[in-house]
Amino acid sequence: MRFIPTKVHGILDYIVGVALIAAPWLFGFASMGGPAVIIPIVLGVGLIVYSLFTKYEWGPFGFIPMPVHLVFDIVASLFLALSPWIFGFSTEAPNVWVPHVVVGVAVIIVVLFSQPQPAKVKAARA
């Protein structure tokens, strides 16, 4: 059931990281400030940093095992998806809170279908 290779997951990591950093401007809520703006930026930077240190095809400094990376993804994505209610901005315009929820849920879905080991690691064990 886990059909997304780590090579594809890695590409998505960097794309989502950059998109999270840019989200407040892309969706037009940067001027409101506060947690709605800070959370996606911090999580985007965090995603890029821990992706650089993950043991997969796109991690040049790889020492974080892929299963640990996937746990980081789940925790960060749950936090992102729930942040509008945790920090009280769920009553703002939809362009403020919907991206948090949609991206958070989408990343959780990607994680559920991502392979837990790079192909090279799996081949070496066989």
Side-chain angles (χ1 to χ4, degrees), residues 43-107:
L43 291 179
V45 170
L47 174 56
I48 290 169
V49 169
Y50 71 79
S51 294
L52 289 169
F53 289 93
T54 297
K55 281 189 210 178
Y56 65 176
E57 296 85 351
W58 298 99
F61 311 110
F63 66 85
I64 298 172
M66 187 63 186
V68 174
H69 173 105
L70 295 174
V71 171
F72 288 170
D73 282 348
I74 291 285
V75 171
S77 298
L78 278 172
F79 179 72
L80 180 64
L82 295 174
S83 65
W85 293 275
I86 295 170
F87 294 98
F89 58 91
S90 63
T91 57
E92 297 291 336
N95 69 304
V96 176
W97 64 271
V98 169
H100 294 72
V101 175
V102 170
V103 173
V105 170
V107 171

